[in-house]
Amino acid sequence: MFLNKTRLKAMIKSAYKWEGLFVGRIYGGLVVAGGSWVTWTEDGYVPNWLKAAVMEHTGELPGPETAILAKKNEPVQYEVADCPAYNLPQMRKECTQAWTVTPVVSRGQYSEIRFLQKTGHPDLIKAMAESFYGVIDFSELGEESRPSGPASVSENGCLVWKNEHSAYACLPLDGVGDGDRRIMDALKTVDFGKFVEVI
């Protein structure tokens, strides 16, 4: 897995507290998701710390081909197990848009935004929460290779990273403030694909 343990545990805790934590044994792996992010880890490669982090909030792992939604102060609910938005292996196959992660981060009073540029199309810029990008941690890879990505099915679709045993996706921001829009306009004048390593 290529996600930072501490940060992912914090995301799991936040999802459980606020929007609800989705957990499914579906699509040949373990899916864990909050409102704006999803992870998928292939059966047989799910680390024990991830299972423990989930079970701390859900009390259980769902059985094969089942899914649950756990939310603080509410009973665990069984969910529909077939949800294409959580099928990250298939989603990655359908991705046709490649993105370059720029080194540019806008730091506001309450949030940080990372900017991405469509590979080969410098005039197309999108933004994502820096916290969602910051959870990616190659020091956690172990025997796995670095993931491909980010990529998306459409220009406004979620961003997907995937390697042979795990995947991660998150939603881009659907709007930014005036100051960040000005930054995005300035970024269109630089082709970051020529300067930043595309993974």
Side-chain angles (χ1 to χ4, degrees), residues 24-38:
R25 297 267 308 281
I26 51 180
Y27 307 119
L30 177 67
V31 172
V32 181
S36 301
W37 58 270
V38 182

Side-chain angles (χ1 to χ4, degrees), residues 9 12-13 16 21 52-60 70 76:
K9 287 178 182 178
I12 288 170
K13 182 177 181 179
Y16 173 73
L21 177 67
V54 168
M55 291 177 66
E56 179 181 343
H57 302 292
T58 63
E60 62 178 315
V76 172

